[in-house]
Amino acid sequence: MTNAKAFAALADPTRREVFERLSRGPRAVGDLANDLPVSRPAVSQHLKVLKEAGLVTDRPDGARRVYQIDPQGLGQIRAWLDQFWDVALEAFKAEVERQADEEDDKP
Amino acid sequence: MTNAKAFAALADPTRREVFERLSRGPRAVGDLANDLPVSRPAVSQHLKVLKEAGLVTDRPDGARRVYQIDPQGLGQIRAWLDQFWDVALEAFKAEVERQADEEDDKP
DNA sequence: ACTTACGGTAAGTAATGACTAACGCTAAAG
DNA sequence: CTTTAGCGTTAGTCATTACTTACCGTAAGT
């Protein structure tokens, strides 16, 4: 279950911010750090976490290093969520009906 | 953006475990704690977090309290992920082609 | 060769969070 | 009315982590 890393990665607000910016196109580390409220090393560390979670990939570009979104980690989370989606809706419907029955007995 | 709470909630392994068990049917707190490696208060605190994230709902059942999955929080995360899904796949395809072109120049 | 630009890593710190033990409250049972 | 069962809350502790500063390696420009 590597989806653990993906969830932990996206749990941090700064990391979600980085991820959202990368969704608008590949960017270099310093470029990302420029319009973020944290230092460049912080961004670098966040990117490392995102990379190990399969959420981004990186490629060298001269002295720079360009990061972009990786659909793999995204897919893992989606698969895990979809596993519960149907049963969740079903349970929700059952609960609504159960509450309706409760209303019939009380008032 | 309440999806922040949902992501933070599902980032914890124990909380994901609780969530998975609830997906197999509504359960009471002590019942959940019985086959989990943590104490009952811990489970209670986790359920509070899940509840504030819109991932579970609770209803009183005599002296007990029954929890079950709430599709709301699940839907928020899914919506957030779907926002990136298409662009992520597109970016991935572009990257594959870019690497192919790079192979043509080097060897 | 020297300098500048760009990033990853190490070390240290402050804050967040997951957990247990102890207490208090409400609802059924006796 | 007293007792028991089931939960939520509080306080305190230990581990995790997000962050900064400082340092080192690598690539391009002069």
Side-chain angles (χ1 to χ4, degrees), chain B residues 12 14-15 38-39 41-42 45-46 62:
Chain B
D12 183 73
T14 303
R15 237 141 32 202
V38 295
S39 69
Q45 292 165 1
H46 284 311

Side-chain angles (χ1 to χ4, degrees), chain B residues 26-86:
Chain B
R27 310 231 339 236
V29 181
D31 186 22
L32 283 166
N34 272 339
D35 51 12
L36 279 176
V38 295
S39 69
R40 184 193 52 74
V43 174
S44 199
Q45 292 165 1
H46 284 311
L47 286 169
K48 183 179 181 181
V49 175
L50 289 171
K51 182 181 176 183
E52 288 175 347
L55 287 164
V56 303
T57 53
D58 60 335
R59 101 180 90 98
D61 177 27
R64 303 191 313 174
R65 189 154 272 266
V66 176
Y67 284 81
Q68 75 170 31
I69 286 190
D70 182 359
Q72 180 195 334
L74 222 51
Q76 287 187 1
I77 299 186
R78 274 172 49 111
W80 190 83
L81 292 179
D82 285 351
Q83 173 184 0
F84 305 115
W85 186 244
D86 294 337

Side-chain angles (χ1 to χ4, degrees), chain A:
Chain A
M1 304 299 170
T2 319
N3 71 15
K5 287 186 180 179
F7 269 115
L10 292 179
D12 183 73
T14 303
R15 234 135 42 197
R16 276 199 308 277
E17 191 70 32
V18 170
F19 188 75
E20 290 188 11
R21 312 224 172 184
L22 286 181
S23 78
R24 296 195 277 272
R27 313 254 308 257
V29 181
D31 187 23
L32 283 167
N34 273 339
D35 51 12
L36 280 175
V38 295
S39 69
R40 184 193 52 74
V43 174
S44 198
Q45 291 164 2
H46 284 311
L47 286 169
K48 183 180 181 181
V49 175
L50 289 171
K51 183 181 176 182
E52 289 175 347
L55 287 164
V56 303
T57 53
D58 61 335
R59 100 180 91 99
D61 176 27
R64 304 189 314 172
R65 188 154 272 264
V66 176
Y67 284 80
Q68 75 171 32
I69 286 190
D70 182 359
Q72 181 195 333
L74 224 51
Q76 288 188 0
I77 299 187
R78 271 171 52 110
W80 191 83
L81 292 179
D82 285 350
Q83 172 184 1
F84 304 116
W85 186 243
D86 295 336
V87 62
L89 281 182
E90 201 171 333
F92 185 72
K93 264 185 18 186
E95 173 66 9
V96 170
E97 293 176 3
R98 202 202 54 77
Q99 279 191 357
D101 292 355
E102 199 175 57
E103 295 292 320
D104 287 349
D105 297 351
K106 264 303 177 72

